[in-house]
Amino acid sequence: MGNEPNLNEISSFIRKLGENYFQIPLDELSENASVDQILDSLSILAKNFKNNGKNVTSVAEKELTKVRSTFKISDEHKISQNFLRLVNESKNLENLIKQTTDYFHQLSGCSSVGIRLQNGDYFPFWQTRGFSQQFLMDENRLCSVKVINPDKEIPNNQIGDHCLCGSVINQLTDNSKTYFTKKGSFWVNNFHDFLDTPDGKNSINRNKSICSAHGFKSIALIAISAGHHNLGTIHLADKAPGRFNKNLVEFWERLADKFGIAITKFKAQEALQESEERYRTTLDNMMEGCQIITPDFRYQYVNKAVAEHAKLPVSKLLGKKMVECFPGIDKTEVYKKITECMKDGKARRFDNKFIFPDGKTGWFELSMKRVPEGVFMLSIDITSRKLAEEALSLSEDKFRYVFDNSPIGKSLTRPDGTLEVNNTFCEMLGYSASEMKKLTWQDITHPDDLEESEKQVKLVKNGQARTLKLTKRYLHKNGSIVWTSVSSALRKDEMGNPLYFMTSVNDITEQTLSKARIENYYRQLEVLHNIDKALLEAMSAGEIANFVLHDLRELIPAFDRISVTECDPLTQKLTILAVQPPDKSKNVVTTYPLHVLPEYEKLKQGETVLVKKIQDNHSNNIIIQKLLEQGISSYCVFPLMAEKNLIGTLNFVNSSPIILDDELTTLVEIITKQMAIVLRQNQLMKQIRQNNEDLESRVKERTKALKQSENKYRFLYDQAPDSILVIDAETKRFDSFNQRAYKDLGYTKEEFKKLHIHDIECIESEDEIQRRMKRILKSGTDSFETLHKHKSGRKLNVNVKISLIEIDGKKYFQTIWTNITKLKKTEEDIRQLNKELRLQQEALKESNAELESFAYSVSHDLRAPLRAIDGYTKILLEDYGPNLDEEAHRFSSIIRKNSVKMGQLIDDLLSFSRMGRKEMSSQKINMASMVRSVFRELSTTMDKKRIRFNISRLPNVSGDKNMIRQVWVNLISNALKFSSHRELADIHVSCKEDDDIFTFSIKDNGAGFNMKFMDNLFGVFQRLHSQKEFEGTGVGLALVRRIIHRHKGMVYAKAEVDKGATFYFTLPK
Amino acid sequence: MDYREYEILIVEDSPEDAELMIISLTKNKVANPITVLEDGQEALDFIFCTGPYSERNFNDKPKVIFLDLKLPKVHGLEVLKAIKSNSKTSEIPVVIVTSSKEDPDVKTAYHYGANSYVVKPVNFDEFMETMKQIGSYWLFINERPA
């Protein structure tokens, strides 16, 4: 740059200034002196001779300013770099400001440098160099925010009213004034001069200028801003005047910008650090364990709580793998969950049981969540809670166990009477636990003990008694009484309200009853003895019943009434034998129809009927009605059984519910058995007497009847279609026999009587007969076929059945035989016929097989020569044609025509033969559509014009589709062929339906035939027309017949020469 | 032996039929060399290079075999079965050319893997036409694996 001042010129100027005006040699200012040397020299001049002439000073000031501005600006690039380095090397904001202050102090050359930065509402000095303490105190006091930042807007013309620092900091500078820069900084080179100006005066009219008071002449307040926001100011102050110019201030402003950016950056960093620090501290000190597990299962972060949970210091956890810290943790559920969480990223929360390496158990509620570093896990130690829960459940278990398994009945009885009971109590009363839940203690208490129990309960409830102790009876589910010793205490809540009775129940039935039982036993014996006595004395049924009831009533006084009835199934009557106590009313009815007995069906089966409370719906029953009238509400009926028959009943009736206990049941069972025997005995005796009377008169009648019957049987015996012979098992002689036995064998009765069994037996020897008889003596019966000898020597086939019978202790063989000679002969004939048939079948099979192989040979061997004949003739004609005359040609073509015809014959014959052998399948056939399609195939367009083809309604049939189609092909092609000479051929297909067959017919108006030849019509190779008339091989109709026969049908035809023919075939339905 | 001598193999016991087949093929512009074998055993020996044909190169395979069924010594179906059940020969097209229309024969032949089944017509004109068609199909139209 051309106008840039030359350092050498400046040096020489200063040197001259020193020598000429101040007499100070400035030797160091030689040529190429550095800026610093120049500055130093100038300072020396300035310090030592500040009083020396205004001219000199102002000249020097000018020069100096020039020099300063020059070098600062020229080195700006380097300075920026230095400053940036400084920024980079700073550790934190404070350090940055300190370093910067030092640097600015050195860089500015000003005696005093300070940096003010915002702190909340204030802008205090953060770092200063060269300012006195007094200055700083004064300045800080003056520039409190209240003073410099009033709420009201400051008009532009009054800007000087306020401290200049405030104007700069609050960005309230007036650009039109020379001492303010555009960017809002302030500078002056001589504050005294400035204060003399109107602006200066205005600015200090209330406050003394502190700067001036401290003797500062050159002052620059450089705004540090970040964007539009002011961060603070750089104070540059020097007691020498003229230190600044506009360029220099702008340079400082640029530097301040850089400084502002650095501050902002450091502030942000610190804020971040601070917030991080805050969070980390929070995490570190949280009650909950916080940890971050990396994807390779290392502890990346753990807080103190985790260390506590883990029982390991943080340092032993950080960076370590989980398995290193807790071997085997990789097999646990929590490890699995972490793995899953890493995979699916889903947050989870669950309780985890953790076994420490020392074997102790810890419970943790874990929440995990995937974070960029891995999985973040929050753990809350719930060990104590879990243990408490476990302990609670354990103690509950213990209590429950003791309660349930106590050998003494236990019950918690709630104020409403409902119970919670243990197994022993349930068993004691025969109820299941669930049944017990539905009952109250009142339900199971014996009615007689209810009052006393309630009284005792009340006493305890009212606090008059602490516990309850009594002997009471419970009712077993089966109605029996359970004697118990009960003790109970009431548990109350804090308010004194009853919670439940805790009751112990001891079953003392055994003790209580054993005494009574012995007494009862003797009484029972007595009653039973009395019953036996009654039996021996053969009293009447009524007397016995009365007798028994009397005793029984002594034994069981608890019932209102006891009665005994007798049931007679013959007369269907129920008789009351005895009632205790006796019914004193008039018109006592003692006989009822049997069916009024309540639950008669049950009683008949021997079941006891117990009704604790009679329901009104029984009231149509006469007995129940009567009971209700008498105020009876409960009854019990015991059946008296003899040989499984109900012969009577023992009845208890009562006004309160009857309860049957084991003891009573046993007693009654014994008595009823005994009574049943007695009653039965009585009945039998009565019967015997009656029977004896009957018997005599009956015997007479019987004898007469027997005589008649005997005659009838004798007749049947003799005339039976089978021979009957009774042989004495001991003597083996004939004991008796019927007519058929001897007549069939040609003997008289007298002759037959003398015979032995071996006289008539043909097959078995005498020994064999003996052995058979021995067998029958063991097995009882026998049957076999053998031959019997006729008196004439002829042998008869017989089927013999023998059974061992016993008459009056003597054993006989009852021998019955049937003559089966005729049957045998027929059987033999059938066998013979079957044998012949089988032979024929085999022959037929053989011939079929032969035929098959014959057909196969024909197919191959006959066709080959034909092909040769035709082939060679053709070649002959082609290759040697020109050498042959016309006649040779004619012969050749005859040869060819015949060979082809023979080929056709062979094919037809083969298909005929095949048709006989082919396996048939049965399908449903739509006849109408089959006939139509066959006709379409066989007829040419020409034909169709000439032919009237008519189909009546045809039924569907079942058969082999291919075969039936072949039938229609042959029949229709015949019809077409034989009517081909007609100008208008008329073909009609129809069907007639009978009971079990369909008869199909096809009629044409063609050549017809003479019925004389009818028999030849369906034979193979049989033709009724010459080849000249109609071509053909004579196989078609034979094939039709074969197919129809295979379908179990028939074929026939009717025709007249030149009038046409009708072919019929039938198919079974 | 030059393989060209047997691009077409005719197994046929009737010399007349064989000749007629050759004439039919020749007249229908089939110039491929033809070898005639007279019975089933000879056919097997030839194809599998045994007996009198043990010197033959097994890898020279015919383009097509016309095989009659009713053959002396070994039945045509047996020959077919032997060819088709051997993986080295199963690719050779075998056309059954026979007089038999018997159903079981047709079924068995296809079961064993016959490529075609043709009944020789008695009429020589039809016979020529048939031979022309099967000859041109198997020799000119049909593609075989390389």
Side-chain angles (χ1 to χ4, degrees):
Chain A
M1 290 186 194
N3 57 354
E4 208 174 271
N6 188 324
L7 279 184
N8 283 340
E9 280 178 16
I10 297 169
S11 296
S12 78
F13 164 74
I14 293 172
R15 200 166 51 243
K16 278 179 201 155
L17 199 68
E19 283 166 5
N20 298 341
Y21 294 95
F22 301 107
Q23 286 84 41
I24 293 174
L26 295 167
D27 294 337
E28 63 268 38
L29 283 182
S30 57
E31 283 213 348
N32 298 325
S34 73
V35 172
D36 287 340
Q37 283 168 331
I38 294 170
L39 283 174
D40 286 346
S41 308
L42 277 173
S43 313
I44 295 166
L45 291 182
K47 276 176 195 163
N48 292 305
F49 302 97
K50 46 186 170 186
N51 299 322
N52 203 3
K54 221 171 187 173
N55 287 350
V56 177
T57 314
S58 74
V59 171
E61 253 172 50
K62 268 182 196 158
E63 292 299 332
L64 194 64
T65 307
K66 210 169 156 191
V67 168
R68 283 204 181 275
S69 68
T70 302
F71 75 78
K72 292 295 176 203
I73 293 160
S74 69
D75 282 350
E76 186 169 351
H77 181 65
K78 205 176 146 199
I79 290 164
S80 296
Q81 276 184 344
N82 286 341
F83 181 68
L84 283 180
R85 198 178 303 125
L86 183 148
V87 169
N88 283 336
E89 284 166 3
S90 301
K91 284 178 210 130
N92 50 38
L93 185 63
E94 212 180 303
N95 184 247
L96 169 78
I97 294 165
K98 193 165 173 268
Q99 300 285 331
T100 306
T101 316
D102 283 337
Y103 183 61
F104 284 176
H105 190 218
Q106 181 217 330
L107 191 65
S108 66
C110 292
S111 65
S112 305
V113 172
I115 290 171
R116 304 176 77 144
L117 286 174
Q118 187 174 11
N119 184 9
D121 287 342
Y122 300 94
F123 285 82
F125 280 102
W126 281 50
Q127 286 284 332
T128 53
R129 300 288 180 274
F131 286 118
S132 68
Q133 280 301 314
Q134 189 59 45
F135 173 86
L136 292 173
M137 274 168 63
D138 294 348
E139 186 74 358
N140 275 343
R141 195 171 60 232
L142 179 70
C143 293
S144 74
V145 71
K146 298 279 183 235
V147 177
I148 64 171
N149 193 14
D151 288 338
K152 63 177 188 196
E153 206 178 316
I154 302 163
N156 259 352
N157 57 0
Q158 292 178 16
I159 225 152
D161 280 359
H162 301 275
C163 173
L164 291 159
C165 315
S167 303
V168 171
I169 287 167
N170 285 307
Q171 294 166 301
L172 296 171
T173 53
D174 182 356
N175 283 343
S176 59
K177 310 290 187 218
T178 53
Y179 44 89
F180 285 127
T181 65
K182 271 184 193 162
K183 287 189 82 178
S185 300
F186 166 85
W187 63 286
V188 286
N189 268 331
N190 195 329
F191 207 60
H192 289 295
D193 294 349
F194 171 71
L195 290 176
D196 292 340
T197 62
D199 285 343
K201 271 187 185 134
N202 282 341
S203 76
I204 54 158
N205 58 359
R206 273 190 289 144
N207 306 303
K208 290 228 180 273
S209 167
I210 295 158
C211 292
S212 170
H214 285 270
F216 291 113
K217 286 204 175 82
S218 295
I219 293 170
L221 303 174
I222 313 293
I224 307 168
S225 56
H228 298 296
H229 177 64
N230 212 338
L231 298 173
T233 53
I234 304 170
H235 276 234
L236 301 172
D238 203 288
K239 287 178 179 163
R243 298 298 304 247
F244 302 111
N245 62 26
K246 192 171 172 255
N247 281 344
L248 190 61
V249 171
E250 280 171 359
F251 157 76
W252 276 103
E253 281 180 330
R254 286 193 291 276
L255 202 56
D257 281 348
K258 290 190 178 74
F259 185 40
I261 291 166
I263 289 168
T264 314
K265 188 185 115 189
F266 271 92
K267 268 195 171 166
Q269 239 172 32
E270 280 179 11
L272 192 67
Q273 264 169 19
E274 198 181 353
S275 110
E276 254 185 29
E277 193 63 28
R278 207 163 43 237
Y279 282 123
R280 182 171 281 264
T281 313
T282 312
L283 276 186
D284 277 346
N285 294 304
M286 252 161 78
M287 297 284 287
E288 293 84 2
C290 300
Q291 50 189 305
I292 293 171
I293 311 285
T294 57
D296 60 348
F297 293 95
R298 284 179 196 282
Y299 292 104
Q300 195 198 45
Y301 170 75
V302 294
N303 69 356
K304 286 180 200 157
V306 169
E308 263 169 48
H309 293 170
K311 300 183 180 177
L312 284 173
V314 172
S315 58
K316 287 257 169 93
L317 291 167
L318 275 184
K320 299 270 166 39
K321 284 201 167 193
M322 291 177 83
V323 280
E324 291 175 81
C325 302
F326 302 105
I329 198 171
D330 52 334
K331 308 283 187 301
T332 61
E333 188 64 16
V334 64
Y335 203 85
K336 208 176 114 196
K337 288 258 171 72
I338 295 171
T339 316
E340 284 168 7
C341 184
M342 278 174 188
K343 274 184 199 151
D344 61 21
K346 283 183 191 151
R348 334 171 125 55
R349 179 196 294 266
F350 56 96
D351 287 358
N352 182 53
K353 190 176 184 178
F354 188 80
I355 312 278
F356 289 102
D358 63 5
K360 283 190 184 151
T361 302
W363 274 95
F364 297 96
E365 184 188 304
L366 300 180
S367 317
M368 53 176 75
K369 187 181 183 306
R370 193 163 69 186
V371 293
E373 295 90 339
V375 167
F376 175 80
M377 195 153 72
L378 190 76
S379 54
I380 300 169
D381 187 347
I382 53 166
T383 309
S384 50
R385 193 183 87 203
K386 278 280 174 182
L387 288 180
E389 272 174 19
E390 272 178 14
L392 190 66
S393 109
L394 197 67
S395 112
E396 240 180 51
D397 275 355
K398 268 188 203 157
F399 170 75
R400 172 57 59 186
Y401 183 82
V402 170
F403 183 79
D404 279 345
N405 293 287
S406 165
I408 293 168
K410 296 272 182 193
S411 156
L412 295 180
T413 312
R414 298 183 196 92
D416 64 354
T418 57
L419 307 156
E420 189 172 333
V421 300
N422 69 351
N423 295 335
T424 311
F425 201 9
C426 284
E427 279 163 20
M428 203 184 284
L429 299 190
Y431 289 103
S432 71
S434 57
E435 285 169 332
M436 273 304 245
K437 275 188 187 150
K438 290 172 198 151
L439 297 170
T440 62
W441 69 267
Q442 289 92 339
D443 292 333
I444 52 172
T445 298
H446 192 285
D448 292 352
D449 291 344
L450 204 53
E451 201 180 322
E452 176 63 20
S453 299
E454 273 174 346
K455 205 173 102 192
Q456 295 256 15
V457 165
K458 216 171 183 179
L459 285 176
V460 176
K461 269 191 184 170
N462 295 343
Q464 288 161 279
R466 207 171 60 79
T467 58
L468 169 161
K469 234 176 196 143
L470 77 164
T471 302
K472 67 179 273 191
R473 284 165 291 176
Y474 281 109
L475 293 176
H476 192 274
K477 192 186 177 189
N478 66 15
S480 64
I481 291 169
V482 180
W483 282 93
T484 59
S485 151
V486 173
S487 57
S488 188
L490 177 63
R491 173 93 196 267
K492 293 178 181 179
D493 67 12
E494 293 128 1
M495 309 293 290
N497 296 320
L499 281 176
Y500 50 80
F501 278 97
M502 175 80 211
T503 310
S504 293
V505 183
N506 240 338
D507 186 348
I508 53 162
T509 311
E510 287 295 312
Q511 294 104 291
T512 313
L513 295 185
S514 60
K515 202 180 142 202
R517 198 170 285 154
I518 291 164
E519 284 169 13
N520 266 351
Y521 182 67
Y522 284 109
R523 291 215 326 250
Q524 278 173 29
L525 276 182
E526 207 183 319
V527 171
L528 294 176
H529 177 67
N530 285 341
I531 294 171
D532 284 346
K533 224 163 65 181
L535 172 67
L536 286 173
E537 289 168 3
M539 295 189 276
S540 75
E543 282 171 321
I544 296 168
N546 260 316
F547 203 86
V548 171
L549 286 193
H550 187 265
D551 283 353
L552 198 57
R553 187 136 176 88
E554 274 183 17
L555 212 59
I556 322 164
F559 301 107
D560 287 1
R561 197 174 339 130
I562 314 179
S563 63
V564 175
T565 67
E566 185 177 26
C567 305
D568 188 341
L570 285 174
T571 59
Q572 285 290 307
K573 282 205 171 131
L574 177 74
T575 311
I576 298 171
L577 291 178
V579 182
Q580 274 292 340
D583 193 348
K584 298 258 167 54
S585 60
K586 290 173 193 169
N587 307 325
V588 178
V589 183
T590 54
T591 309
Y592 295 93
L594 195 51
H595 62 82
V596 303
L597 204 52
E599 311 261 11
Y600 177 49
E601 290 304 318
K602 264 193 181 175
L603 290 168
K604 261 193 347 190
Q605 299 299 317
E607 286 177 38
T608 302
V609 173
L610 170 65
V611 174
K612 286 191 176 172
K613 180 141 179 58
I614 297 172
Q615 303 296 315
D616 282 343
N617 56 4
H618 272 301
S619 56
N620 57 352
N621 183 306
I622 188 169
I623 290 184
I624 305 287
Q625 193 67 47
K626 215 172 159 189
L627 290 177
L628 285 172
E629 278 169 23
Q630 294 169 352
I632 302 290
S633 64
S634 178
Y635 64 86
C636 184
V637 183
F638 294 95
L640 306 180
M641 303 296 289
E643 292 144 13
K644 294 185 180 171
N645 292 316
L646 179 71
I647 61 162
T649 60
L650 173 62
N651 318 301
F652 298 160
V653 296
N654 210 6
S655 52
S656 60
I658 293 172
I659 289 148
L660 283 181
D661 56 24
D662 283 349
E663 193 193 358
L664 182 61
T665 310
T666 316
L667 177 66
V668 170
E669 260 172 23
I670 295 168
I671 290 169
T672 51
K673 264 182 205 158
Q674 206 73 6
M675 276 185 69
I677 293 168
V678 172
L679 283 180
R680 180 71 186 143
Q681 201 78 6
N682 213 280
Q683 281 180 353
L684 288 174
M685 294 288 281
K686 226 162 86 185
Q687 262 175 25
I688 287 168
R689 273 198 303 275
Q690 211 165 13
N691 285 352
N692 277 341
E693 287 163 18
D694 284 353
L695 212 56
E696 272 176 58
S697 64
R698 275 201 197 159
V699 165
K700 282 178 194 164
E701 280 172 42
R702 269 302 235 337
T703 323
K704 206 172 142 195
L706 267 173
K707 193 74 193 164
Q708 284 174 353
S709 155
E710 158 97 42
N711 284 345
K712 199 162 71 194
Y713 283 115
R714 168 56 64 183
F715 179 77
L716 288 173
Y717 179 67
D718 281 339
Q719 299 302 317
D722 297 332
S723 306
I724 304 170
L725 168 63
V726 179
I727 302 167
D728 188 318
E730 211 173 309
T731 62
K732 312 287 191 296
R733 297 197 67 86
F734 294 177
D735 180 87
S736 58
F737 43 85
N738 68 354
Q739 268 183 30
R740 177 77 61 195
Y742 55 87
K743 279 196 173 165
D744 265 13
L745 291 175
Y747 294 98
T748 66
K749 195 177 176 181
E750 299 311 313
E751 285 168 335
F752 196 70
K753 227 176 191 172
K754 291 168 194 159
L755 295 180
H756 264 93
I757 189 68
H758 52 85
D759 293 325
I760 57 169
E761 169 63 46
C762 295
I763 294 177
E764 292 188 356
S765 67
E766 220 173 315
D767 282 353
E768 282 169 333
I769 293 169
Q770 294 298 333
R771 276 202 294 278
R772 185 185 289 279
M773 284 179 164
K774 268 186 195 168
R775 274 207 306 277
I776 297 168
L777 279 172
K778 277 184 196 161
S779 64
T781 60
D782 194 10
S783 72
F784 54 96
E785 275 184 21
T786 183
L787 290 175
H788 279 179
K789 211 187 293 165
H790 192 267
K791 192 182 174 187
S792 65
R794 191 155 50 87
K795 285 171 184 168
L796 304 175
N797 290 92
V798 289
N799 188 354
V800 185
K801 280 186 190 133
I802 304 176
S803 41
L804 186 70
I805 58 171
E806 213 175 300
I807 304 170
D808 294 339
K810 254 188 105 174
K811 284 178 179 162
Y812 300 90
F813 297 115
Q814 188 190 54
T815 313
I816 299 168
W817 69 81
T818 315
N819 189 343
I820 54 165
T821 311
K822 273 184 191 164
L823 197 72
K824 277 283 160 186
K825 181 146 176 28
T826 316
E827 249 179 44
E828 186 53 37
D829 288 351
I830 290 170
R831 203 174 298 127
Q832 191 60 34
L833 276 171
N834 272 341
K835 198 172 158 192
E836 277 166 25
L837 206 63
R838 210 162 34 241
L839 285 174
Q840 274 177 12
Q841 242 174 14
E842 270 161 27
L844 204 62
K845 236 187 228 168
E846 210 170 301
S847 91
N848 255 343
E850 272 169 23
L851 191 66
E852 204 167 315
S853 79
F854 166 71
Y856 191 75
S857 300
V858 164
S859 158
H860 274 87
D861 300 351
L862 294 190
R863 281 161 62 95
L866 283 175
R867 195 161 40 248
I869 293 167
D870 188 47
Y872 284 101
T873 314
K874 173 87 192 285
I875 294 160
L876 188 70
L877 280 172
E878 279 185 2
D879 296 0
Y880 302 95
N883 299 338
L884 299 175
D885 64 6
E886 201 179 314
E887 198 67 352
H889 272 283
R890 195 173 68 83
F891 290 160
S892 300
S893 70
I894 291 170
I895 293 170
R896 293 199 63 201
K897 210 167 101 190
N898 274 288
S899 59
V900 170
K901 185 168 157 48
M902 186 156 177
Q904 187 59 46
L905 271 169
I906 291 165
D907 282 351
D908 283 358
L909 193 59
L910 265 176
S911 75
F912 176 71
S913 144
R914 203 161 34 229
M915 207 53 85
R917 287 174 284 126
K918 217 171 118 183
E919 271 188 34
M920 287 210 323
S921 62
S922 183
Q923 299 129 295
K924 219 165 182 60
I925 302 169
N926 182 337
M927 252 348 188
S929 82
M930 179 180 273
V931 168
R932 264 194 294 276
S933 101
V934 169
F935 175 72
R936 265 201 304 279
E937 267 175 41
L938 294 176
S939 55
T940 62
T941 340
M942 276 275 286
D943 282 342
K944 279 176 190 141
K945 283 181 189 159
R946 197 178 56 75
I947 297 164
R948 196 159 61 212
F949 190 77
N950 199 321
I951 307 176
S952 304
R953 214 182 63 81
L954 299 182
N956 291 344
V957 298
S958 55
D960 187 299
K961 229 175 198 167
N962 291 331
M963 288 189 181
I964 298 294
R965 189 182 172 83
Q966 187 66 49
V967 167
W968 284 115
V969 166
N970 289 7
L971 290 178
I972 293 171
S973 64
N974 269 4
L976 288 171
K977 188 161 71 181
F978 292 112
S979 60
S980 58
H981 296 324
R982 292 274 183 265
E983 268 180 35
L984 183 72
D986 210 340
I987 300 174
H988 183 80
V989 177
S990 61
C991 178
K992 194 160 82 59
E993 186 174 347
D994 287 308
D995 284 350
D996 48 2
I997 55 164
F998 293 116
T999 306
F1000 292 92
S1001 62
I1002 174 164
K1003 183 174 192 252
D1004 66 60
N1005 61 347
F1009 58 87
N1010 191 329
M1011 286 294 280
K1012 213 164 49 174
F1013 304 119
M1014 171 74 184
D1015 290 347
N1016 297 345
L1017 200 59
F1018 296 102
V1020 185
F1021 298 135
Q1022 297 289 339
R1023 289 179 46 75
L1024 302 184
H1025 301 274
S1026 68
Q1027 282 290 347
K1028 254 189 194 166
E1029 279 180 296
F1030 300 106
E1031 287 194 343
T1033 56
V1035 177
L1037 286 175
L1039 193 62
V1040 167
R1041 185 170 70 168
R1042 179 160 262 192
I1043 291 171
I1044 295 302
H1045 280 185
R1046 290 200 67 187
H1047 280 84
K1048 312 248 190 300
M1050 291 191 316
V1051 192
Y1052 52 95
K1054 282 178 191 162
E1056 212 177 311
V1057 177
D1058 269 352
K1059 291 274 173 68
T1062 309
F1063 282 84
Y1064 302 89
F1065 68 88
T1066 67
L1067 286 174
K1069 277 185 180 174
Chain B
M1 212 186 266
D2 178 4
Y3 85 96
R4 288 192 58 79
E5 285 179 36
Y6 49 87
E7 276 190 5
I8 302 171
L9 209 60
I10 293 177
V11 188
E12 171 62 70
D13 67 321
S14 156
E16 290 86 5
D17 267 2
E19 189 178 358
L20 289 175
M21 282 168 82
I22 295 168
I23 290 170
S24 301
L25 290 169
T26 323
K27 285 207 171 189
N28 284 308
K29 315 258 182 323
V30 174
N32 307 52
I34 300 171
T35 293
V36 178
L37 303 168
E38 288 176 4
D39 65 59
Q41 184 55 52
E42 196 183 3
L44 289 175
D45 282 341
F46 184 89
I47 292 158
F48 294 102
C49 302
T50 51
Y53 295 100
S54 51
E55 301 286 308
R56 204 180 70 80
N57 182 357
F58 181 65
N59 290 326
D60 294 338
K61 289 168 189 162
K63 278 189 172 175
V64 64
I65 300 173
F66 293 127
L67 177 67
D68 192 10
L69 289 184
K70 197 159 177 292
L71 291 171
K73 294 184 185 171
V74 177
H75 194 274
L77 286 173
E78 293 300 317
V79 177
L80 171 67
K81 191 179 167 187
I83 295 170
K84 289 300 180 184
S85 57
N86 186 321
S87 62
K88 288 179 180 148
T89 52
S90 60
E91 283 172 1
I92 307 171
V94 178
V95 179
I96 307 297
V97 183
T98 176
S99 302
S100 169
K101 263 189 198 168
E102 294 295 289
D103 220 12
D105 278 352
V106 185
K107 273 191 182 161
T108 315
Y110 276 114
H111 175 70
Y112 286 157
N115 298 70
S116 279
Y117 193 105
V118 176
V119 178
K120 285 183 270 187
V122 170
N123 186 312
F124 187 64
D125 294 332
E126 290 170 24
F127 182 77
M128 285 254 283
E129 183 58 28
T130 306
M131 288 314 292
K132 177 186 169 184
Q133 286 189 16
I134 57 174
S136 63
Y137 175 77
W138 287 106
L139 292 164
F140 308 133
I141 298 171
N142 185 45
E143 287 290 338
R144 291 192 300 147

